[in-house]
Amino acid sequence: MRLNRPVVEARGHASVAVGGDAAGPILVNSPVQIRVLNGPAPQPTSRPVLLPPDVPDFVGRASDIETIEDAARKGHASGAPTTVVVSGKPGVGKTSLAVHLAHRLEGRHPDGVLYADLRGVDDEPASPDEIALRLLHACDVPADEIPADPYARLDAYRQRVAQRALLIIFDNAADEKQVRPLLPSGVGSTAIVTSRSRMAGLESVRTLDLDTFPTHTSLAFLAKVTGDRFEDGDRTAALSVADHCGHLPLALRIAANRLQSTPRLTMAALACELGNEHDRLGALEVGDLAVRKAFNLSYRKLGKGCKNTFRKLSDVPATDFGTGICAALTGSGEKHAARALRKLAEANLVEPSTAPGRYRFHDLLKAFAREKAGKRTREEADTDRRRMILWLRDSALRAQSHITGTFRVEIPDGSGAPLSSLEAATLWVEQELSNAVAALPVSESLGSARDTATLALSLGVLCESVGRWSDWDTVCDAGLRAAVGADKVGLEAVFLTSKANLARYRRDFDEALSHATRVYEQARVSREPLHLAGAANLLGCLKMDIGRSEEGLPFLRESLEIYEEFGVRHEVAKVLYNLGTMHRASGDTDTAIEYFERDLAVCLDTGDEAGAAETLNTLALTYSELGRLGKAEELQLKALATFSKIGNPHKVSMIFNDLAITLRRQGRYEEALDLHTKDVELCRGEGNASGEALAHSNAAEVLHRLGRNREAAEKAALAQTRFAELGDEQRLAQSMISHISILFEDGKAEEATEQAARATEILTRFGQLKDVAATHQVLAREFGLREQWEKSLTHAEESLRVGDGIVTPYSRAVGCTLALLAGTRAGRGEEVAGHRDTLRAIFAEDPELRDLFPGAREL
């Protein structure tokens, strides 16, 4: 028998909280007309609007809102139901977005709006038939018309919603099987599902993986909740708070609420409190809101293996990780690690990194994982970290052998990443080198100086090979500390040598010489021949760098003799390269090419692709000086392909610069300018100030050739300013040479001549006589263009005098041609005859050059 009871009838917009603890109607959104009726139950209302209140301080999410509204619009236009899954990590604001959207979309759904909390993170999530019961009640279906059987109840629910164009929010869903039976099928219906899981198994849905706030939205949110306008110091403090919150909406909400509820708490004080990394999660609690609690709800749903993986991943030293380092930390196989990572990603406790197959933590989730990992014993934690360091070391050794062709160390199967090619090694370096470098302090904390030194040794060559200078610096410092701790003088010398090489790359020759001299003296005392050979090679190179090649040559010969005696072929190749470079600088081109070709053969035989590419480029420069520009371009393109494959940005920059000069000499100015522009961006991204300035300097010369003199002058001035700031006199002088023609074009011949004099003084001091000769050729050409033939002749003859015996036949032919033209126009018959004889002799020695100087025949 049905009892007569009072019935509350609501007309207008009413809001009913269906899930959670709600047991009855909550009437909001006045005006609402209420009357108490006795008698039969009323007919179902035509349009329920059952939503929690909108979030009053909602900010941001414009693109996310547009994505969902666009999906709903398209669904309505086609007449098909639309389902959007909004997933994301705990506290990212999924529910707030869904409720806000529901209020925006309410008017587009004529049959009403429903909301249900599915309690997905509870120990016992709501069953589909329980939610169906609640929603049927919300649609005013009488209790006695709702079947008791769960399957029949779901059928009744589906039948009811299939007849309506509803908007339904399924909040906090556990998984696909909980949601799938509840999705509406009515024409024009929309379902928005929020979940910590990505719900990848649901069919025909639009997915939206919600991310944390961008910085500007975080600041706007803090300002809106606290009612403040951030200026100066307050803005800086607010930015610090947002950063410490990881821009996670829940954390930001807690921070803002703490500021509101604690009158004496300032933004700066809160920023300071949150700056304590070890108690950050504790500081992010207010009332019943807590970041730790939100994370724990997801964590407790994991299986035992995933919990173990989650905890141990907190030991990853850098920012992201893949299956290899995960397997090393957990002591499992890579397949097991891959499954665990996928499950953690599905639960949004880790998130995909930018690299495919790799993941990363949100900062606060990593802090949470560290808290959980802190419950391990010290012995267990140290064991995990040692496995990781061993994996990084052995992987680095494998990568090194593929990239450099050296140090083919026998590594047991299963130890380290299974790298079988140069491409695999290069990818490993790209992905894991940051972790390996960041693991050095971890290794030091474990107390074994030997293990730290071994790891540093395995990383140093890699950092050099791929041009990671900042990481290389860190590796050298850690290696030196370990060498001193282990009391190993020979090991100390290895890392001092690395620091000298790094300083040399950075063109800090004073520091490099200081380290190299110390290493050489130690090697002399220790009488370790291979240490002595390495120190002698380095010292010889540095003497050459500072223009004291005659002092450097004996050191290089000493080094070569020792390395050849002991059969250390990869080091033999390096010394051969350096001897070739020294002979090239002195103008002995034939000997230089002989050394380079011997070096190249060793590099190719030992599999040292990076060394071979370096040699190919230097050979190209030599051929370019001989006027064989096509051959030079061919070799440089091969070198560029190798360095691009290895991923060494500094070497790619070097090839960009040198290849652009080769193209410029062929008159291909636009191609050359494009390469210099790319080089500027590459160097800027790597923080290579000297390389960037060099690119500007060479771009200036190309712009001048293209008739864009104003831009050329700006580039040249910028380059010279940078070189002066860096204290790099040699490159400053070379930049001045490039600027000479630009100044002449601007009618500043006197300033150009003064700049040339300053450049030649610097270059002479460093023994760069080939560049001095080139400077006089530039002056000869510019004075000739202005028909100042006497001055042109003077500089042409000076270029021949300075370059006698050191410049290539091609360069000497250029000087002779300039002198012939100037002498002829100046009426200096005797000088003309002498230069004509010299030019004929050059052509007789190298007939191919005659074709490069067609104008010389007329003279």
Side-chain angles (χ1 to χ4, degrees):
M1 180 179 71
R2 179 179 296 170
L3 298 175
N4 290 333
R5 64 185 68 183
V7 176
V8 177
E9 180 182 74
R11 293 179 178 171
H13 293 302
S15 176
V16 179
V18 178
D21 298 325
I26 302 171
L27 306 180
V28 299
N29 297 333
S30 298
V32 179
Q33 299 174 11
I34 302 176
R35 60 190 178 90
V36 180
L37 302 176
N38 290 310
Q43 295 299 313
T45 59
S46 59
R47 188 174 185 275
V49 180
L50 313 170
L51 278 175
D54 197 359
V55 181
D57 44 25
F58 190 92
V59 296
R61 304 296 192 198
S63 62
D64 299 317
I65 290 170
E66 175 59 30
T67 296
I68 297 177
E69 289 188 332
D70 182 60
R73 276 194 299 270
K74 290 178 179 176
H76 284 187
S78 65
T82 301
T83 300
V84 179
V85 175
V86 180
S87 63
K89 62 181 68 69
V92 80
K94 302 178 290 294
T95 299
S96 294
L97 175 62
V99 171
H100 182 70
L101 270 164
H103 282 279
R104 289 173 63 103
L105 296 172
E106 175 197 336
R108 303 182 195 175
H109 296 80
D111 294 325
V113 185
L114 304 175
Y115 169 91
D117 180 358
L118 275 57
R119 306 197 309 273
V121 293
D122 287 5
D123 291 335
E124 294 185 11
S127 63
D129 62 287
E130 176 190 338
I131 297 302
L133 174 65
R134 288 176 174 266
L135 293 179
L136 285 169
H137 276 310
C139 290
D140 287 339
V141 176
D144 58 357
E145 295 181 16
I146 299 176
D149 178 76
Y151 298 105
R153 185 183 302 161
L154 283 170
D155 287 341
Y157 162 78
R158 282 191 286 263
Q159 183 180 20
R160 178 59 62 100
V161 298
Q163 300 167 3
R164 299 185 176 193
L166 293 165
L167 168 62
I168 309 179
I169 307 297
F170 296 108
D171 192 23
N172 193 15
D175 51 34
E176 295 91 337
K177 66 183 180 182
Q178 184 192 35
V179 172
R180 191 177 283 114
L182 299 170
L183 296 178
S185 59
V187 175
S189 291
T190 303
I192 300 176
V193 182
T194 73
S195 177
R196 298 186 180 195
S197 169
R198 288 189 167 84
M199 297 282 181
L202 282 181
E203 305 83 2
S204 302
V205 301
R206 181 72 177 265
T207 59
L208 179 66
D209 195 16
L210 209 57
D211 203 353
T212 53
F213 281 157
T215 299
H216 69 273
T217 304
S218 295
L219 293 176
F221 178 78
L222 287 173
K224 193 167 187 178
V225 176
T226 61
D228 290 336
R229 294 180 61 187
F230 303 133
E231 297 177 0
D232 302 329
D234 286 339
R235 180 181 175 81
T236 302
L239 182 59
S240 180
V241 167
D243 288 341
H244 291 323
C245 289
H247 301 275
L248 186 71
L250 174 61
L252 291 164
R253 166 71 66 188
I254 292 170
N257 285 5
R258 283 194 60 196
L259 287 164
Q260 273 193 316
S261 62
T262 313
R264 294 185 179 180
L265 181 62
T266 65
M267 188 71 74
L270 181 59
C272 183
E273 183 180 351
L274 292 173
N276 180 357
E277 185 178 344
H278 298 291
D279 194 36
R280 188 170 296 158
L281 292 179
L284 288 171
E285 295 180 5
V286 63
D288 63 348
L289 298 179
V291 169
R292 183 187 285 111
K293 179 180 177 182
F295 291 168
N296 207 48
L297 288 172
S298 291
Y299 174 76
R300 71 184 188 185
K301 300 284 284 185
L302 298 173
K304 183 178 178 181
C306 283
K307 285 181 178 177
N308 183 55
T309 301
F310 178 76
R311 292 191 300 264
K312 294 188 177 188
L313 282 171
S314 65
D315 280 331
V316 171
T319 56
D320 71 347
F321 41 85
T323 56
I325 198 169
C326 177
L329 276 166
T330 57
S332 64
E334 288 206 25
K335 287 185 178 179
H336 180 274
R339 284 196 299 271
L341 286 170
R342 283 198 301 271
K343 288 183 178 296
L344 289 173
E346 287 169 6
N348 275 294
L349 289 172
V350 300
E351 58 192 46
S353 181
T354 53
R358 293 182 68 78
Y359 301 89
R360 64 188 178 194
F361 274 119
H362 182 271
D363 289 348
L364 294 178
L365 276 165
K366 187 163 189 176
F368 177 71
R370 281 177 178 155
E371 283 189 354
K372 295 296 183 183
K375 297 177 182 178
R376 293 174 296 177
T377 65
R378 176 64 183 270
E379 291 73 20
E380 182 186 357
D382 286 354
T383 298
D384 294 340
R385 291 163 184 158
R386 285 195 179 96
R387 278 199 311 268
M388 175 186 70
I389 288 167
L390 181 65
W391 182 83
L392 289 167
R393 184 200 70 188
D394 290 349
S395 302
L397 287 170
R398 278 205 176 95
Q400 189 183 108
S401 69
H402 286 293
I403 291 174
T404 67
T406 60
F407 301 110
R408 297 186 181 277
V409 180
E410 289 297 326
I411 302 170
D413 290 342
S415 180
L419 308 176
S420 58
S421 66
L422 173 62
E423 289 74 18
T426 302
L427 180 62
W428 185 90
V429 170
E430 179 185 331
Q431 294 182 341
E432 298 290 4
L433 186 58
S434 294
N435 273 318
V437 173
L440 286 165
V442 178
S443 180
E444 289 181 271
S445 72
L446 294 174
S448 173
R450 179 179 178 182
D451 287 349
T452 302
T454 305
L455 178 60
L457 282 172
S458 71
L459 297 177
V461 176
L462 280 179
C463 289
E464 179 179 7
S465 299
V466 300
R468 296 275 283 269
W469 290 355
S470 179
D471 286 335
W472 191 12
D473 216 355
T474 301
V475 168
C476 290
D477 289 340
L480 278 172
R481 288 193 298 272
V484 171
D487 195 22
K488 297 287 186 181
V489 175
L491 202 54
E492 181 185 0
V494 171
F495 289 111
L496 281 173
T497 299
S498 287
K499 284 192 76 69
N501 275 318
L502 177 56
R504 184 181 177 222
Y505 284 138
R506 289 172 167 166
R507 302 184 67 79
D508 187 347
F509 297 123
D510 289 340
E511 180 184 343
L513 271 171
S514 173
H515 292 314
T517 303
R518 180 179 169 189
V519 171
Y520 186 78
E521 290 170 352
Q522 287 180 349
R524 279 286 184 199
V525 172
S526 69
R527 298 185 179 180
E528 290 284 346
L530 293 180
H531 290 165
L532 182 61
N537 181 38
L538 178 58
L539 202 51
C541 290
L542 286 164
K543 295 287 186 181
M544 177 174 59
D545 287 337
I546 61 173
R548 290 153 60 181
S549 294
E550 290 185 3
E551 295 178 28
L553 190 57
F555 288 109
L556 294 181
R557 287 173 175 161
E558 178 185 19
S559 176
L560 182 62
E561 183 179 345
I562 296 171
Y563 280 136
E564 286 182 331
E565 179 185 350
F566 283 86
V568 188
R569 298 188 68 208
H570 60 277
E571 295 295 344
V572 166
K574 293 178 184 177
V575 184
L576 289 171
Y577 174 87
N578 293 331
L579 283 166
T581 302
M582 189 171 286
H583 282 283
R584 174 180 162 237
S586 68
D588 188 355
T589 307
D590 291 339
T591 305
I593 291 176
E594 180 185 337
Y595 275 122
F596 290 141
E597 289 180 342
R598 286 174 59 192
D599 162 38
L600 183 60
V602 176
C603 288
L604 294 175
D605 190 47
T606 59
D608 183 2
E609 292 200 46
E614 184 94 33
T615 305
L616 284 171
N617 184 59
T618 309
L619 260 175
L621 296 176
T622 310
Y623 283 124
S624 180
E625 291 170 354
L626 292 170
R628 299 175 62 182
L629 299 176
K631 178 68 172 178
E633 181 182 352
E634 174 191 339
L635 297 180
Q636 284 167 334
L637 288 172
K638 288 181 179 179
L640 180 59
T642 297
F643 284 131
S644 298
K645 180 170 63 173
I646 291 173
N648 186 329
H650 300 289
K651 296 299 183 182
V652 169
S653 166
M654 176 185 74
I655 306 294
F656 276 171
N657 177 73
D658 295 341
L659 177 57
I661 292 174
T662 300
L663 295 174
R664 185 185 78 204
R665 289 173 177 168
Q666 296 177 67
R668 293 156 65 182
Y669 300 127
E670 293 290 354
E671 293 175 69
L673 183 59
D674 181 58
L675 276 179
H676 286 313
T677 302
K678 289 179 179 177
D679 193 12
V680 167
E681 295 303 317
L682 177 60
C683 290
R684 185 175 295 155
E686 293 298 320
N688 182 359
S690 183
E692 183 183 345
L694 183 63
H696 282 305
S697 179
N698 286 318
E701 190 158 344
V702 177
L703 288 165
H704 169 64
R705 300 292 180 89
L706 288 168
R708 295 159 62 178
N709 220 51
R710 184 181 60 79
E711 296 172 70
E714 291 172 355
K715 290 274 190 185
L718 174 60
Q720 289 177 45
T721 299
R722 293 280 175 84
F723 286 134
E725 291 170 350
L726 293 168
D728 191 338
E729 287 191 286
Q730 291 185 67
R731 283 189 170 175
L732 173 61
Q734 290 161 353
S735 182
M736 288 177 176
I737 298 171
S738 299
H739 201 181
I740 290 170
S741 297
I742 299 170
L743 290 171
F744 267 104
E745 187 74 21
D746 286 341
K748 301 175 181 177
E750 186 176 345
E751 184 178 341
T753 306
E754 291 174 357
Q755 188 149 294
R758 287 165 52 208
T760 54
E761 184 275 323
I762 295 170
L763 293 168
T764 302
R765 182 154 35 89
F766 281 95
Q768 304 293 324
L769 298 183
K770 289 169 68 174
D771 286 335
V772 173
T775 305
H776 285 293
Q777 286 186 2
V778 173
L779 290 169
R781 184 177 64 245
E782 293 301 330
F783 280 121
L785 288 172
R786 285 149 189 83
E787 299 187 356
Q788 297 182 41
W789 301 115
E790 289 291 347
K791 290 183 178 179
S792 178
L793 179 60
T794 297
H795 286 291
E797 291 182 331
E798 185 64 10
S799 78
L800 293 169
R801 185 192 68 77
V802 173
D804 188 24
I806 61 170
V807 299
T808 63
Y810 173 80
S811 179
R812 191 158 178 78
V814 171
C816 279
T817 303
L818 289 169
L820 268 175
L821 176 61
T824 301
R825 298 298 174 85
R828 305 281 288 276
E830 187 176 343
E831 285 89 340
V832 168
H835 295 311
R836 185 178 289 119
D837 291 341
T838 302
L839 190 59
R840 285 171 178 165
I842 293 170
F843 289 160
E845 289 181 14
D846 191 348
E848 291 182 9
L849 284 178
R850 188 183 300 273
D851 294 333
L852 301 176
F853 295 88
R857 298 172 188 168
E858 301 175 5
L859 299 172

